[in-house]
Amino acid sequence: MILRRSSGFSLVELMVGMTLALMLATIIGSIYLSGRQTSRVADTMGRMQESARFALQTIEEDIRISGFRGCNSAANLPVNTLNFPTNYANRFDQPLFGYHASGSTWAPLLDSSISALIPAPATGRDVITIKRIYGNGSALTAEMGSTTGTLTVDSNATSTFAKGDFVLVANCDAQAVFQITSSPTAGTLAHAATTAVAPGNATADLGHVFNTDASAYRLINKTYYIAPSARKPNTKLNSLWSYSVPDYTGSGQPQELVEGVDNLVLLYGEDTDGDQAANRYVTADNVGNWSNVVSVRLQVLMETVQDGVAPVTQTYTFNGTSTTAADKRIRSVFTSVITLRNRVM
């Protein structure tokens, strides 16, 4: 009788094999999770950088065009026919209004129309209001009969304007600001002396007889500020907001522009020797003469929308202060310097 020995794996061999397989699976799993986390961080950082680019470009465009008053923007101040022309919303002699945050207050103090916004500007963050034209100008189609005469533009252009709009009319010699006091029809932009619209015009006299070499432009007050995100409530996430007055609805509405903008600091470049270049950069409360501001240094602190992206809490430096975050969001600082084109022409 021939006895045959059965072949197979011993218990030791099975245990060694299982251990090796487990180690291999652990390594593969670790590589997978590491790659997934790396991809998540890269995607989140990419989104943050795109948000920063959008935030900077949006504010840059408005600052760059501020102070436009026709082809001779730097030389003349517009005749302001509005009632209460020194009120914050009605002033157009100064293209920028800056507010520097200090603790829970701002210097100068925020206008009540800004501090009453919902959501309100977040404390410790700067605020800026920009006075600018909105859209393309509409050329006048006829000469005014007198300084109080009718302003006419092409009838197809009247859809650009609405009752209550602030309007700049300008050529290379003169500029005037008024409010449209009745619905534009047949190309007519009414500028009667009245209080029937707010604030209305104190006078119909524009101080100049404008001809077909002049154009009419809508004017807006546009404010940028930081406030809690309404899209992602209860996340302790801040966003960049804007507030425009007047807008096409007839009254301004706060608009959330981009999430993840945690802080905003603005420094204003003053030209103190008349060479059209900034000699110093100061906060809004230290500007000596706003007529000498020729540039703005804009700095934003961005944070990732998603928490838990960083493996540990991050310590970051913004505006000269180092802070250790209370969460695991990644933060980064972005800076831009914007020249006011209409101040250095």
Side-chain angles (χ1 to χ4, degrees):
M1 180 176 179
I2 300 175
L3 295 177
R4 296 185 179 181
R5 181 180 295 178
S6 60
S7 62
F9 296 104
S10 67
L11 181 60
V12 172
E13 290 173 328
L14 285 173
M15 291 181 65
V16 170
M18 290 176 63
T19 301
L20 292 175
L22 183 60
M23 291 176 59
L24 182 60
T26 300
I27 293 172
I28 294 173
S30 177
I31 293 173
Y32 170 76
L33 292 176
S34 176
R36 184 178 177 181
Q37 177 65 9
T38 300
S39 177
R40 179 176 177 234
V41 171
D43 180 66
T44 303
M45 290 293 293
R47 289 172 182 264
M48 182 180 70
Q49 290 169 357
E50 285 298 319
S51 295
R53 187 176 297 112
F54 175 79
L56 290 173
Q57 288 179 347
T58 300
I59 302 176
E60 284 173 5
E61 178 184 351
D62 285 337
I63 292 176
R64 193 172 288 118
I65 201 172
S66 65
F68 175 82
R69 301 179 185 128
C71 64
N72 201 4
S73 297
N76 302 312
L77 292 178
V79 172
N80 191 332
T81 71
L82 300 173
N83 289 311
F84 314 110
T86 59
N87 285 6
Y88 152 81
N90 305 340
R91 285 189 60 181
F92 290 95
D93 59 318
Q94 182 178 311
L96 297 177
F97 286 75
Y99 305 91
H100 177 59
S102 178
S104 59
T105 62
W106 287 264
L109 290 176
L110 291 179
D111 185 77
S112 58
S113 63
I114 301 175
S115 58
L117 292 173
I118 301 175
T123 57
R125 278 81 172 166
D126 286 357
V127 176
I128 185 171
T129 295
I130 302 161
K131 312 276 184 162
R132 58 156 294 181
I133 62 170
Y134 191 86
N136 297 322
S138 300
L140 270 60
T141 57
E143 182 181 5
M144 296 173 64
S146 66
T147 57
T148 60
T150 301
L151 272 175
T152 57
V153 295
D154 188 282
S155 58
N156 293 325
T158 53
S159 61
T160 303
F161 302 97
K163 179 180 177 180
D165 279 347
F166 292 147
V167 174
L168 167 73
V169 57
N171 58 18
C172 292
D173 299 317
Q175 303 89 31
V177 173
F178 64 90
Q179 188 173 28
I180 299 177
T181 53
S182 61
S183 297
T185 57
T188 300
L189 304 181
H191 53 98
T194 182
T195 57
V197 292
N201 300 310
T203 176
D205 192 341
L206 301 183
H208 185 80
V209 177
F210 291 97
N211 206 335
T212 53
D213 61 340
S215 294
Y217 308 84
R218 286 186 70 234
L219 285 171
I220 62 171
N221 298 288
K222 194 165 188 181
T223 299
Y224 288 101
Y225 62 100
I226 306 300
S229 174
R231 297 171 184 165
K232 290 182 170 58
N234 304 319
T235 60
K236 298 182 179 180
L237 187 70
N238 284 328
S239 294
L240 176 68
W241 290 72
S242 71
Y243 172 66
S244 300
V245 180
D247 66 4
Y248 283 117
T249 66
S251 61
Q253 297 292 330
Q255 180 181 8
E256 186 174 359
L257 297 179
V258 59
E259 303 156 346
V261 186
D262 186 55
N263 208 336
L264 171 66
V265 168
L266 297 141
L267 297 176
Y268 299 87
E270 271 194 278
D271 171 19
T272 58
D273 57 12
D275 65 352
Q276 297 188 335
N279 301 99
R280 64 172 193 161
Y281 281 90
V282 294
T283 53
D285 54 328
N286 288 311
V287 172
N289 186 343
W290 283 95
S291 296
N292 293 334
V293 172
V294 294
S295 59
V296 178
R297 181 179 294 163
L298 172 66
Q299 190 176 57
V300 295
L301 174 64
M302 302 295 301
E303 62 184 8
T304 56
V305 174
Q306 293 82 11
D307 199 350
V309 179
V312 296
T313 56
Q314 181 187 20
T315 298
Y316 59 92
T317 300
F318 179 72
N319 196 31
T321 301
S322 293
T323 305
T324 299
D327 53 36
K328 292 186 178 180
R329 289 188 170 96
I330 296 176
R331 290 168 174 83
S332 188
V333 178
F334 297 82
T335 304
S336 179
V337 177
I338 309 106
T339 299
L340 278 67
R341 289 178 178 173
N342 297 294
R343 283 282 174 83
V344 297
M345 296 173 65

